[in-house]
């Protein structure tokens, strides 16, 4: 079967075998990628039109109890200048974002035990009281199902938890022994059961990754049926064990974005900041490959440099309004437009 026939099969059957995935990812040409991107964009346009959703990202803490080998805010990195935002600072970020047309806020941070469930519940309540029409996404890492339930009951709508890799052996090479892929997946299934709109995802080109691992990622995504999938190229961070590893491929990331859109047609698919970091037009290319979400930063400018999951992250010095204007111009330049909507998953 020719590679384009595999892409056609994915569109119709929404699944491939491990061998088919591996062959497709190992041997695709630029022409195959263009074929997939055209198909992905057609699918996205049919469901979401020319609208691009924006999420206001608030990186509220860079403390983390975990020691993931790829992450710049891992607990053993003593070169990080740690910070925590107060509830008032978070609400200020939301206020700024609302005025700029953001209707989804994303609270993202390391796994920081300083913030309790009750603190999150009160914070979520305050945000929802001030902005009842907003969607609130949490990205707080692994927690108990009971904790997830409490935060959902407090008003959280969505939860982002990248699975990072669906292969057990590969997971063990990226994380210390106290972290397990089994627990990660159980968290994702638990979030779905509670009723969150759930997002998973992985790094493209992470150390030790082969097409076999990527095939498993794609099969897991199809099994989980998430509402969102966040993928981006692996970018090394200089103060981690993977500082000297090779950066992930723009070409492969874009192709995988297209394949995810073809497979999970209604999924909310970000063109990530990491894409824009490795290529000046990375986010535009992501949209043209099938993405329909962008997540600009609403964090206070004075802490953005401190939330360094990877090196050379873009937009760390831009004020929120400046960042919003830049994104608008970039999206308009490729024939799409930013909308002030919650941007929910369309079933």
């Amino acid at each position: 079967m020719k590679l384009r026939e595999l892409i056609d099969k994915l569109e119709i059957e929404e699944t491939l075998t491990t061998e088919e995935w591996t062959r497709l990812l190992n041997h695709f040409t630029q022409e195959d990628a263009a074929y997939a991107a055209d198909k992905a964009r057609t699918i996205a346009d049919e469901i979401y039109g020319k609208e691009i959703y924006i999420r206001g990202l608030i990186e509220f803490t860079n403390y983390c109890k975990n020691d993931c080998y790829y992450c710049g805010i891992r607990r053993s990195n003593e070169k990080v200048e740690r910070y925590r935002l107060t509830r008032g600072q978070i609400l200020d970020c939301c206020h700024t974002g609302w005025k700029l047309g953001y209707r989804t806020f994303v609270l993202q941070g390391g796994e920081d035990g300083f913030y309790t469930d009750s603190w999150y519940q009160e914070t979520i309540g305050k945000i929802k009281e001030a902005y009842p029409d907003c969607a609130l996404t949490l990205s707080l890492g692994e927690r108990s199902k009971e904790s997830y339930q409490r935060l959902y009951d407090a008003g959280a709508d969505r939860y982002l938890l990248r699975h990072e890799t669906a292969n057990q052996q590969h997971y063990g090479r990226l994380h210390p022994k106290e972290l397990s892929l089994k627990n990660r997946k159980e968290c994702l299934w638990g979030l779905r059961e509670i009723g969150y709109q759930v997002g998973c995802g992985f790094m493209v080109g992470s150390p030790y990754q082969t097409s076999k691992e990527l095939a498993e990622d794609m099969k897991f995504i199809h099994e989980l049926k998430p509402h969102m999938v966040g993928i981006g190229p692996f970018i090394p961070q200089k103060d981690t064990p993977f500082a000297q590893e090779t950066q992930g491929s723009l070409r492969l990331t874009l192709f995988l974005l297209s394949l995810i859109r073809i497979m999970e047609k209604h999924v909310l698919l970000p063109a990530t900041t990491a894409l824009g970091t490795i290529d000046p037009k990375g986010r535009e290319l992501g949209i043209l490959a099938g993405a329909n979400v962008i997540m600009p930063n609403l964090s206070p400018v004075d802490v953005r440099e401190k939330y360094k999951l990877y090196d050379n992250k873009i937009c760390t010095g831009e004020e929120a309004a400046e960042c919003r204007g830049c994104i608008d111009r970039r999206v308009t330049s490729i024939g799409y437009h930013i909308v002030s909507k919650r941007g929910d998953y369309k079933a």
Side-chain angles (χ1 to χ4, degrees):
M1 188 179 289
K2 295 178 180 178
L3 295 190
R4 292 193 189 185
E5 291 175 350
L6 290 177
I7 296 170
D8 292 339
K9 177 185 176 183
L10 182 64
E11 181 180 15
I12 297 166
E13 300 182 16
E14 300 182 345
T15 186
L16 296 175
T17 67
T18 299
E19 293 73 21
E20 288 171 333
W21 276 119
T22 302
R23 181 164 160 250
L24 184 58
L25 296 174
N26 279 340
H27 300 294
F28 76 94
T29 65
Q30 197 55 44
E31 290 74 23
D32 296 322
Y35 180 77
D38 183 64
K39 195 176 285 288
R41 233 358 317 145
T42 299
I43 292 168
D45 288 356
E46 286 174 352
I47 298 167
Y48 292 102
K50 295 290 185 180
E51 297 184 346
I52 302 298
Y53 300 141
I54 50 171
R55 317 315 200 182
L57 183 62
I58 304 169
E59 298 164 334
F60 68 97
T61 176
N62 68 350
Y63 283 85
C64 190
K65 68 181 179 63
N66 294 332
D67 216 17
C68 306
Y69 302 148
Y70 48 82
C71 184
I73 63 170
R74 62 198 303 262
R75 69 165 185 262
S76 64
N77 185 1
E78 297 178 353
K79 296 182 180 180
V80 177
E81 185 181 348
R82 305 287 178 175
Y83 73 91
R84 294 183 175 110
L85 298 186
T86 64
R87 182 179 294 123
Q89 287 175 303
I90 291 170
L91 288 167
D92 286 345
C93 293
C94 293
H95 178 69
T96 298
W98 188 265
K99 289 194 299 181
L100 292 170
Y102 291 87
R103 297 297 178 262
T104 289
F105 303 120
V106 182
L107 295 186
Q108 178 175 296
E111 294 195 20
D112 183 356
F114 175 82
Y115 299 98
T116 62
D117 277 356
S118 59
W119 187 92
Y120 284 121
Q121 286 171 298
E122 186 172 346
T123 302
I124 292 165
K126 293 282 188 185
I127 294 171
K128 284 291 191 165
E129 181 183 0
Y131 311 104
D133 296 328
C134 81
L136 185 59
T137 301
L138 304 178
S139 183
L140 314 175
E142 297 178 18
R143 306 176 73 84
S144 69
K145 190 173 181 182
E146 293 73 24
S147 173
Y148 289 144
Q149 184 70 60
R150 284 192 284 270
L151 304 188
Y152 182 76
D153 292 342
D157 302 281
R158 306 172 185 149
Y159 204 100
L160 303 178
L161 183 67
R162 284 191 176 190
H163 64 278
E164 303 301 1
T165 174
N167 178 276
Q168 178 64 52
Q169 184 178 5
H170 188 217
Y171 195 91
R173 301 184 80 175
L174 301 179
H175 302 88
K177 289 183 178 179
E178 65 262 24
L179 297 177
S180 78
L181 177 59
K182 180 176 181 288
N183 189 66
R184 197 80 166 179
K185 287 183 174 181
E186 285 176 355
C187 285
L188 284 163
W189 286 112
L191 289 161
R192 274 215 66 132
E193 289 170 10
I194 289 167
Y196 283 93
Q197 292 183 43
V198 178
C200 67
F202 58 89
M203 295 174 290
V204 179
S206 60
Y208 315 112
Q209 185 185 72
T210 69
S211 295
K212 178 178 177 291
E213 282 78 45
L214 287 171
E216 291 186 49
D217 285 321
M218 298 298 273
K219 293 179 78 171
F220 174 68
I221 288 168
H222 185 59
E223 178 188 6
L224 180 67
K225 292 288 183 192
H227 306 87
M228 302 165 277
V229 177
I231 71 167
F234 165 75
I235 303 175
Q237 206 280 335
K238 61 183 177 58
D239 300 316
T240 68
F242 292 156
Q244 302 304 315
E245 296 291 337
T246 302
Q247 178 176 281
S249 159
L250 174 70
R251 175 175 174 265
L252 180 56
T253 304
L254 295 173
F255 188 48
L256 285 162
L257 279 171
S258 297
L259 297 179
I260 291 168
R261 171 64 67 198
I262 293 166
M263 178 175 71
E264 304 298 325
K265 297 174 177 53
H266 296 258
V267 76
L268 295 161
L269 196 59
T272 61
T273 302
L275 264 180
T277 297
I278 69 167
D279 186 280
K281 291 190 177 296
R283 287 175 293 186
E284 293 96 312
L285 292 170
I287 291 170
L288 294 173
N292 69 323
V293 172
I294 296 180
M295 298 171 67
N297 204 326
L298 286 178
S299 307
V301 173
D302 63 344
V303 303
R304 291 188 194 180
E305 275 286 345
K306 302 171 187 175
Y307 200 86
K308 297 190 79 169
L309 306 184
Y310 51 82
D311 286 339
N312 304 313
K313 186 177 175 183
I314 58 170
C315 302
T316 54
E318 293 183 352
E319 295 288 349
E322 180 185 359
C323 188
R324 171 64 204 266
C326 173
I327 290 294
D328 279 354
R329 290 189 296 273
R330 286 174 174 271
V331 169
T332 301
S333 75
I334 56 171
Y336 289 81
H337 59 276
I338 299 291
V339 291
S340 291
K341 295 181 179 179
R342 282 171 48 114
D344 288 300
Y345 177 87
K346 292 186 178 180

